[in-house]
């Protein structure tokens, strides 16, 4: 069974703080993704990575950065948290085979920025 | 501009009846479509998918229909069960875009006993 874990289920941070969200997958997947989920907007892709040290911008990368130093770990960084980054953050991973690979999601981190 | 849209934010159905969830897309380059199911406090889980070379895919109680000319797909759940109550997301991908998925806004399904 694929397992994707996220370091925190709930986080409360203050405006301007640097925030790290960690994601680990145990299936040796090539691809990893960070999304945010907001009501009515579904899941929007922030960044993804198809290999160690590789990253690509998604649809809404502004205000975020990522790091992938090891294959199993993909970190999302909010350099200076703002209230409009209050959201549910979801990490996902998938294999590096055909483009029709299923993405497997972690349980999510609900971030509140005050 | 949302390329994948789920126009019904919620749907309520009686147990045992059919649930039909709809999804529309605008990008004709999408060629693979998926449905994910999400319970509160959990991540989305893959439910069923369909390639653009097909117009129907069935898996137990779940069937996905694709109408390419209308750029429309639907998920049918028959019979609906209370455990099906969740948020359902439609997603689409393009063959030349690796594994990137574009999601719709989701539909909350409530199945009443």
């Amino acid at each position: 069974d694929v397992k994707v874990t996220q370091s925190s289920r709930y986080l409360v941070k203050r405006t301007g703080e640097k925030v790290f969200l960690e994601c680990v997958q145990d299936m040796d997947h090539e691809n990893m993704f960070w999304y945010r989920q907001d009501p009515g907007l579904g899941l929007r892709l922030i960044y993804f990575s198809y290999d160690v040290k590789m990253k690509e911008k998604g649809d809404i990368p502004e205000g975020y950065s990522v790091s992938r130093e090891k294959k199993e770990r993909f970190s999302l960084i909010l350099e200076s948290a703002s209230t409009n980054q209050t959201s549910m953050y979801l990490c996902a991973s998938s294999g590096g085979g055909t483009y029709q690979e299923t993405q497997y999601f972690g349980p999510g981190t609900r971030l509140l920025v005050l | 501009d949302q390329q994948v849209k789920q126009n019904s934010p919620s749907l309520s159905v009686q147990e045992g009846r059919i649930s039909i969830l709809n999804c529309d897309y605008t990008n004709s380059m999408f060629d693979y479509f998926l449905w994910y199911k999400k319970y509160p406090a959990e991540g989305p889980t893959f439910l069923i998918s369909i390639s653009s070379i097909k117009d129907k895919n069935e898996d137990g109680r779940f069937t996905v229909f694709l109408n390419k000319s209308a750029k429309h797909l639907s998920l049918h759940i028959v019979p609906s069960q209370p455990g099906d109550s969740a948020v359902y997301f439609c997603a689409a991908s393009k063959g030349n875009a690796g594994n990137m998925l574009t999601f719709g806004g989701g539909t909350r399904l409530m199945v009443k006993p």
Side-chain angles (χ1 to χ4, degrees), chain A residues 22-97:
Chain A
E22 302 283 334
C23 175
V24 177
Q25 51 95 1
D26 66 356
M27 283 303 291
D28 202 36
H29 280 167
E30 307 290 334
N31 305 312
M32 295 188 76
F33 308 82
W34 274 107
Y35 295 89
R36 61 178 283 177
Q37 181 197 350
D38 300 289
L41 298 178
L43 280 70
R44 293 179 292 166
L45 182 65
I46 304 171
Y47 268 98
F48 72 100
S49 167
Y50 53 87
D51 202 352
V52 175
K53 296 193 187 293
M54 305 300 287
K55 60 184 179 184
E56 294 285 342
K57 292 181 180 179
D59 298 319
I60 51 164
E62 297 79 18
Y64 304 94
S65 63
V66 290
S67 172
R68 191 158 180 211
E69 297 296 319
K70 293 185 178 181
K71 191 175 186 180
E72 67 271 17
R73 189 179 297 269
F74 192 34
S75 302
L76 179 70
I77 303 152
L78 287 66
E79 296 289 342
S80 177
S82 63
T83 55
N84 63 13
Q85 291 178 310
T86 291
S87 187
M88 168 71 85
Y89 290 88
L90 292 158
C91 174
S93 73
S94 69

Side-chain angles (χ1 to χ4, degrees), chain A residues 9-10 31 33 35 37 40-43 45 48 57-59 88 90 94-95 97-108, chain B residues 2-3 31-32 34 36 38 40-46 51 87 89 93-106:
Chain A
R9 296 300 300 270
Y10 301 95
N31 305 312
F33 308 82
Y35 295 89
Q37 181 197 350
L41 298 178
L43 280 70
L45 182 65
F48 72 100
K57 292 181 180 179
D59 298 319
M88 168 71 85
L90 292 158
S94 69
T98 68
Y99 72 93
Q100 294 178 353
E101 290 278 346
T102 299
Q103 290 187 19
Y104 297 89
F105 284 83
Chain B
Q2 283 192 294
Q3 298 184 64
D31 59 1
Y32 188 61
L34 308 90
Y36 278 82
K38 185 181 185 300
E42 294 182 14
T45 54
F46 170 74
S51 168
V87 177
F89 291 101
S93 72
K94 294 177 278 192
N96 64 350
N99 271 244
M100 287 182 63
L101 294 178
T102 301
F103 283 84

Side-chain angles (χ1 to χ4, degrees), chain B residues 7-38:
Chain B
N7 291 317
S8 298
S10 65
L11 175 67
S12 182
V13 170
Q14 205 66 37
E15 181 179 5
R17 307 295 284 265
I18 184 171
S19 296
I20 300 176
L21 293 88
N22 294 302
C23 178
D24 297 295
Y25 62 96
T26 56
N27 192 333
S28 58
M29 298 298 291
F30 288 141
D31 59 1
Y32 188 61
F33 304 90
L34 308 90
W35 285 93
Y36 278 82
K37 175 179 178 179
K38 185 181 185 300

